[in-house]
Amino acid sequence: MPSRIPAVCTAVALILTPAWLIATNPAVPRSHPLLPSLLAVALLSGLLVAALLLRSRRRDVRVGRRRAVLQGLAALLVIGVMAALAWLAPFPFRDDAGRLGEGVALVDVGLVEDATSITLVPTGDAPEVVTRGLVFYPGARVEALAYVPLLAEVAREGTLVVVLKEPLGISLVDSAQAGPVMEAHPEVVTWAVGGHSLGGVSASIFAAGDADVSGLLLWASYPLDDLSGSGLEVLSVSGSEDGLTTRADITASRELLPAGARFTEVPGGVHAFFGDYGQQPGDGAATAGRDTVQSDIIEATEAFMGSL
């Protein structure tokens, strides 16, 4: 049974998916190395399959029915994996005009970026040695850079802020990612961890198991486990119009958090206002402006960090 269709489909999926993601999404090359590495492997594999096809194009290759079925299943598997990688492509940072952004202008904050994090270092009138720190887990599939404009305001007030680049954009892949960051900054004596949406879930998992963490910051998020007896200082900031982390979700989380946990609901806010990455499917409709909502988020966060 001569058939090149499965191999052709495999080559097309392996070549076009990485090429499309890299060409259309500027967040992909800026993300945690795992996603670009997987895309590079896929692209090289696709080129190899294409080369083998071209090499055998003049031969009438015949395979048995069983082998043909296996080749078809393999092609379907590859296409499924490529679809999953396409779905994992991060929501990229967008500027105030909604355009895809290449960076942000910072005042009184130094920015140090590496393969797995973005560190915001207070400058200006900040003390020479910063002793308060925040490690922040982004929401699922959201580029780390999208949180820099908001968290730079927190850093400006004297907090070392490290925004994590998560493997495949999913914080649960490595919820302990904050650990090495904290070890790299021994000058910091007071640590908080936090996150947006799924990132807050990972932050709560890490905070529950690390004695060096004093505070937990939840942006449109809640813990999965009971932290009521943890002794953590907790701030939960939510948006009144959030369609993904709803008011009911936040209310239900109260019993999982310490009795002294602080809750701030920002009027008119939605899920996507906790970062600068545009609209998010399934979100609610905002009844207040992005700038107003983000100012309230920043104000509550600054007060919380200053109280630790």
Side-chain angles (χ1 to χ4, degrees), residues 2 7-8 11 15 23 29 58 61 75 115 149 167 172 176-177 196 227 252 256 286 305:
V8 170
I15 293 172
R58 295 180 181 178
V61 180
L172 291 178
Q177 199 177 356
H196 174 218
L227 301 178
L256 298 176
M305 292 303 303

Side-chain angles (χ1 to χ4, degrees), residues 106-111 120-127 130 155-159:
L106 302 178
V107 179
D108 289 340
V109 176
L111 187 151
L120 303 173
V121 184
T123 56
D125 296 330
V130 178
R156 197 168 289 129
E157 296 301 313
T159 297

Side-chain angles (χ1 to χ4, degrees), residues 109-112 118-123 126-127 129-136 151-152 154-163 181-182 184-193 305:
V109 176
L111 187 151
V112 180
I118 301 174
T119 301
L120 303 173
V121 184
T123 56
V129 178
V130 178
T131 59
R132 187 175 65 226
L134 169 66
V135 183
F136 192 86
L151 292 173
V154 179
R156 197 168 289 129
E157 296 301 313
T159 297
L160 176 77
V161 179
V162 181
V163 188
V181 171
M182 293 168 57
H185 294 280
E187 74 280 7
V188 175
V189 296
T190 303
W191 281 106
V193 293
M305 292 303 303

Side-chain angles (χ1 to χ4, degrees), residues 134-140 147 164 166 170-172 175 193-208 215-225 227 232 234-237 245 250 253 257 271 274:
L134 169 66
V135 183
F136 192 86
Y137 292 79
Y147 298 95
L164 300 173
E166 300 156 342
I170 305 295
S171 60
L172 291 178
S175 60
V193 293
H196 174 218
S197 193
L198 186 63
V201 174
S202 291
S204 68
I205 293 172
F206 182 82
L216 174 62
L217 173 65
L218 300 172
W219 280 5
S221 185
Y222 48 85
L224 296 182
D225 298 323
L227 301 178
L232 289 165
V234 180
L235 172 65
S236 173
V237 187
T245 301
I250 299 300
S253 73
L257 295 171
H271 204 74
F274 286 84

Side-chain angles (χ1 to χ4, degrees), residues 14-168:
L14 289 170
I15 293 172
L16 290 188
T17 303
W20 172 71
L21 288 175
I22 293 171
T24 62
N25 191 331
V28 170
R30 296 193 297 243
S31 65
H32 186 283
L34 182 56
L35 179 59
S37 297
L38 290 175
L39 293 175
V41 170
L43 180 59
L44 292 174
S45 299
L47 293 174
L48 177 60
V49 173
L52 292 174
L53 281 171
L54 290 174
R55 185 177 179 181
S56 62
R57 65 188 177 186
R58 295 180 181 178
R59 289 184 294 160
D60 183 20
V61 180
R62 293 182 175 273
V63 297
R65 184 178 299 275
R66 182 177 179 182
R67 185 175 176 184
V69 170
L70 292 176
Q71 288 179 346
L73 291 175
L76 290 175
L77 177 61
V78 168
I79 292 170
V81 171
M82 291 300 99
L85 289 179
W87 181 83
L88 287 169
F91 294 99
F93 165 72
R94 295 179 182 270
D95 63 15
D96 292 338
R99 298 174 299 222
L100 293 177
E102 295 297 330
V104 291
L106 302 178
V107 179
D108 289 340
V109 176
L111 187 151
V112 180
E113 183 173 6
D114 60 30
T116 58
S117 66
I118 301 174
T119 301
L120 303 173
V121 184
T123 56
D125 296 330
E128 185 174 344
V129 178
V130 178
T131 59
R132 187 175 65 226
L134 169 66
V135 183
F136 192 86
Y137 292 79
R141 299 164 52 214
V142 180
E143 181 183 15
L145 188 62
Y147 298 95
V148 168
L150 279 78
L151 292 173
E153 300 289 340
V154 179
R156 197 168 289 129
E157 296 301 313
T159 297
L160 176 77
V161 179
V162 181
V163 188
L164 300 173
K165 297 180 180 180
E166 300 156 342
L168 300 179

